[in-house]
Amino acid sequence: QATPFTVVGVGDMSGDVFGNGMLLSRHLRIVAAFDHRHVFLDPDPDPAASFAERERLFGLPRSSWADYDTSLLSAGGGVHPRTAKSIPISAQVRARLGLPDGVGSMTPAELMKAILAAPVDLLWNGGIGTYVKASTESHADVGDKANDAIRVDGADLRVKVVGEGGNLGLTQLGRIEFAVAGGHINTDAIDNSAGVDTSDHEVNIKILLDRVVAAGELTVPARNELLQEMTDDVAALVLRDNYRQNRALANARAQAASMEDVHARFIRALEQQGDLKREVERLPNEEELLDRRAAGIGLTVPELAVLLAYAKIDLEDAILATALPDDPDFSSALSEYFPRALAERYRDRFAEHPLRREIVATALVNGVVNRAGTTFAFRLAEETGATADEILRAHEAARAVFGQAELWSRIEELDGVVAADTQTAMYLESRKLVERASRWLLRRRRRPLPVATTADFFTTRVARVADLLPARLRGAPREHLEAETARLTALGVGDDLARRVAGLDALYAALDITDLAEQTSRDVDDVLAVYVVVGERLGLDRLRERIVELPRDDRWQALSRRALQEDVETEHRSLTAAILASTDAGFEPETAFGVWAAGEQTAVTRVLSILDDVRGHGVYDLATLSVAIREIRSLV
């Protein structure tokens, strides 16, 4: 990013963690830092000159902040040993660190505490030790006596973001306290997961190649050369995984308040299974969850990161207990895990990998949780009674049918172009469609779902509906499409992508339309035309809008709302089928509807009258909407 970003940190440029991190952008401005030897102060650094000097120190063996060229420091800066009794505080440093007027000197410990609590953009921890706790914890609770004198509370942090290159830089409660106050922070496990992911790839690659070497197909020197050649490819695979995991947490953060009840149920379910101890993981108890709900804040990202990990572990265990990892429909998960060079040379060896099933399960579970959310599998199991493997199959089929991979790639291209919140909203809209489609497949298709066959059947037909839909929509769906397209384009999204995302809600009907076309031997164009007319003329589209507005503060409200939605979808489908059955090829949709309605005049008049009555009173609750749907059902 090109905007200068002010940083305070723990570490020095000779360290892989701190040094590597501080060379990732030429626009970082390190205004203060400390390690076990020195305190570094540069209150107004020049981004270009300071980057070059950091780069020099990183390449200098066993360097320290004392090796920094002090002629490059801004006014009021300096490098001071931690052994000093007192460190002078310049006016520039005082302003940068947000210190009170009149502070002219500080002990090293006092200054390091001030650095940790400085009002800057980023606190980058590349050191060893625990520097932040919660205000509810004592220093003894932390168990890092060496840093007691400089440790601060999460509530004291004034940075916008904390990045953890080291481990245990903050206690979990310290992270949560900072996050509750509005700070952006993950957990050290999330921020450092790329290293673990790299090791995972390294081990599995070496297992594969060692078998190739043992078979005499590759020499050891050639194997070592190949490993070196694949460095960048492995890095790309690892960064892709970690980008998606962080995106999943951003999506979760956006929905934390609205999903509080679901998260509470998921925590209870994990506890009942004996998989989770919330006290150990520092997850809130029932009373604290109620307080969060009242405050409208839900779980914080550090807590969501814990649930993310448990969701993946729980789902992977369930998947490994099934035959899903052996299904040829998922063989691509194995080939996509390995670098391209291996796939090109030794793809035929992948099936012999002793950890093949574990690799496939891990890849698939990472994908479904990162894309669909932490509680996706849990909620669909609650609602449909489906098993973990059935849910995963439905999700993968739905993703393929609606082209989610290509759509998300287009949204990713907007990194740094539009606001992150805009991208998150677009991801969530796509995710909602895939979740609804997954539920549809679980309810309307035989299990276990053949993923490739299902995708082959629906994809082309759904794409046809997607092409036709914008021109065919009318009434409330058209109003939504146009308004949402305008809103997204105003936020910087290209018109084509904006219109595609805006149309995702209406596109869900493509499943019913495709299914009806197959059952009635009609073209999807004809089925779509009748479907749209029925939705507008009978007020089903407006009815859907009212159902979506119903509260879903707890599980039962959410289930009731979803049941009404599915009832409307069922009746919409049935009415469309009835009209199609009463018409010949070459019909006009309005005419076909008119002929059918004339034959059902009394019932149609009553339905429209009741819907008008509901609208007139402006009361849209579970009771009134249920009555309206019951009357619509009488038409079929």
Side-chain angles (χ1 to χ4, degrees):
Q1 49 95 35
T3 304
F5 204 71
T6 52
V7 182
V8 294
V10 182
D12 61 60
M13 292 307 300
S14 66
D16 284 345
V17 171
F18 188 91
N20 272 314
M22 294 297 94
L23 292 178
L24 290 177
S25 171
R26 294 179 177 273
H27 304 283
L28 296 178
R29 303 173 72 232
I30 304 179
V31 299
F34 63 85
D35 64 1
H36 60 291
R37 296 165 293 184
H38 301 95
V39 179
F40 170 83
L41 301 170
D42 191 7
D44 189 23
D46 174 80
S50 60
F51 177 85
E53 182 64 0
R54 292 200 303 273
E55 198 169 40
R56 183 184 72 83
L57 290 185
F58 187 69
L60 181 66
R62 295 181 295 279
S63 67
S64 73
W65 285 120
D67 295 303
Y68 199 95
D69 182 352
T70 55
S71 68
L72 299 174
L73 294 174
S74 56
V79 178
H80 306 276
R82 283 184 59 166
T83 54
K85 291 184 177 180
S86 177
I87 296 175
I89 304 299
S90 66
Q92 295 88 343
V93 169
R94 189 164 56 244
R96 173 60 72 185
L97 298 186
L99 299 173
D101 293 339
V103 174
S105 64
M106 303 178 83
T107 66
E110 292 171 335
L111 179 54
M112 286 184 283
K113 289 186 73 167
I115 290 172
L116 291 169
V120 296
D121 295 316
L122 170 68
L123 167 59
W124 174 241
N125 174 39
I128 299 173
T130 304
Y131 301 96
V132 181
K133 66 177 183 65
S135 56
T136 55
E137 295 178 295
S138 68
H139 292 298
D141 291 332
V142 176
D144 175 28
K145 190 172 180 58
N147 288 300
D148 284 355
I150 63 174
R151 189 174 300 113
V152 299
D153 293 339
D156 297 330
L157 296 180
R158 292 184 286 174
V159 294
K160 298 175 183 176
V161 181
V162 172
E164 298 186 71
N167 291 310
L168 305 176
L170 297 83
T171 67
Q172 178 70 348
L173 289 178
R175 292 187 189 94
I176 294 168
E177 186 170 272
F178 173 62
V180 167
H184 294 270
I185 186 170
N186 291 325
T187 59
D188 49 357
I190 293 293
D191 280 358
N192 290 291
S193 64
V196 178
D197 198 354
T198 301
S199 297
D200 182 79
H201 278 80
E202 178 186 359
V203 168
N204 283 318
I205 288 169
K206 287 180 176 178
I207 289 173
L208 178 73
L209 290 180
D210 285 351
R211 296 170 76 91
V212 176
V213 170
E217 298 175 24
L218 188 68
T219 66
V220 171
R223 170 243 194 212
N224 295 340
E225 184 178 344
L226 178 57
L227 287 173
Q228 185 67 32
E229 288 175 6
M230 293 187 294
T231 299
D232 290 343
D233 280 349
V234 171
L237 291 169
V238 168
L239 290 174
R240 181 195 66 187
D241 289 344
N242 284 266
Y243 175 95
R244 291 173 176 172
Q245 183 163 260
N246 276 272
R247 184 175 63 198
L249 287 172
N251 292 342
R253 184 177 188 267
Q255 292 189 310
S258 63
M259 296 288 284
E260 187 278 333
D261 181 65
V262 178
H263 291 147
R265 293 204 315 275
F266 187 43
I267 290 171
R268 286 194 290 271
L270 290 170
E271 280 187 309
Q272 290 166 4
Q273 293 170 200
D275 296 332
L276 170 71
K277 292 184 178 180
R278 73 172 83 192
E279 300 84 2
V280 173
E281 298 295 352
R282 303 299 192 181
L283 291 170
N285 59 36
E286 295 297 330
E287 183 178 347
E288 290 168 330
L289 285 170
L290 288 174
D291 290 341
R292 296 276 189 93
R293 179 184 294 189
I297 56 177
L299 296 183
T300 65
V301 172
E303 293 162 325
L304 292 167
V306 171
L307 282 191
L308 183 85
Y310 274 92
K312 290 183 175 182
I313 292 168
D314 186 64
L315 188 56
E316 183 169 351
D317 287 345
I319 292 300
L320 283 171
T322 72
L324 187 144
D326 305 308
D327 190 324
D329 280 356
F330 299 106
S331 60
S332 61
L334 190 62
S335 58
E336 290 170 4
Y337 172 87
F338 289 106
R340 187 181 301 108
L342 282 187
E344 291 172 351
R345 303 183 200 185
Y346 302 113
R347 186 184 297 272
D348 59 329
R349 289 280 189 173
F350 289 174
E352 303 171 9
H353 198 292
L355 297 176
R356 173 187 54 79
R357 299 185 84 255
E358 287 76 8
I359 293 171
V360 170
T362 299
L364 291 173
V365 167
N366 273 333
V368 71
V369 175
N370 288 345
R371 297 184 189 100
T374 300
T375 63
F376 168 79
F378 169 71
R379 286 183 289 109
L380 262 65
E382 273 190 333
E383 296 168 21
T384 68
T387 59
D389 57 317
E390 291 169 344
I391 291 168
L392 195 148
R393 287 175 182 277
H395 176 264
E396 293 305 293
R399 284 188 63 239
V401 167
F402 288 99
Q404 189 187 59
E406 183 267 337
L407 175 58
W408 280 35
S409 292
R410 293 184 64 185
I411 299 173
E412 284 178 14
E413 291 171 3
L414 295 177
D415 284 355
V417 177
V418 302
D421 287 347
T422 299
Q423 288 178 284
T424 296
M426 296 167 75
Y427 286 130
L428 290 175
E429 193 65 20
S430 168
R431 194 171 88 175
K432 181 175 72 175
L433 170 62
V434 170
E435 179 174 319
R436 294 173 71 191
S438 300
R439 191 179 292 109
W440 189 97
L441 291 169
L442 286 169
R443 293 197 187 283
R444 293 189 175 272
R445 286 293 183 269
R446 182 176 297 176
R447 307 174 194 171
L449 187 75
V451 175
T453 302
T454 303
D456 287 345
F457 172 75
F458 280 103
T459 301
T460 303
R461 295 170 174 85
V462 166
R464 174 64 178 164
V465 174
D467 289 340
L468 295 169
L469 202 57
R472 293 286 179 86
L473 286 179
R474 53 173 72 184
R478 171 159 288 282
E479 292 169 11
H480 172 82
L481 175 68
E482 297 301 336
E484 189 63 9
T485 300
R487 187 185 71 83
L488 289 172
T489 53
L491 293 172
V493 180
D495 183 71
D496 179 62
L497 180 57
R499 184 163 290 271
R500 179 172 174 184
V501 173
L504 292 178
D505 186 63
L507 187 58
Y508 169 66
L511 293 173
D512 274 332
I513 290 168
T514 296
D515 213 25
L516 273 176
E518 177 72 10
Q519 291 180 16
T520 61
S521 300
R522 298 293 187 102
D523 190 271
V524 292
D525 302 42
D526 294 339
V527 178
L528 171 61
V530 173
Y531 191 92
V532 168
V533 170
V534 170
E536 184 197 25
R537 295 289 296 275
L538 291 178
L540 303 185
D541 298 328
R542 294 291 181 188
L543 196 59
R544 282 194 186 88
E545 286 187 340
R546 302 291 79 81
I547 293 172
V548 169
E549 293 168 2
L550 289 175
R552 51 169 182 169
D553 297 331
D554 59 37
R555 178 190 180 191
W556 304 111
Q557 287 181 340
L559 289 175
S560 297
R561 192 183 78 152
R562 188 161 297 121
L564 290 181
Q565 288 175 313
E566 291 178 356
D567 284 346
V568 173
E569 291 161 8
T570 298
E571 304 317 320
H572 198 160
R573 174 190 174 111
S574 298
L575 289 166
T576 302
I579 294 173
L580 287 169
S582 66
T583 60
D584 298 322
F587 63 89
E588 285 294 326
E590 287 284 0
T591 302
F593 179 85
V595 170
W596 171 84
E600 305 285 346
Q601 185 173 0
T602 301
V604 169
T605 300
R606 175 173 170 76
V607 166
L608 294 178
S609 175
I610 288 176
L611 291 176
D612 286 341
D613 190 42
V614 171
R615 281 195 294 269
H617 284 81
V619 178
Y620 299 103
D621 57 20
L622 185 62
T624 56
L625 293 171
S626 296
V627 169
I629 293 171
R630 185 186 64 188
E631 292 300 326
I632 291 168
R633 187 175 295 122
S634 70
L635 293 173
V636 181

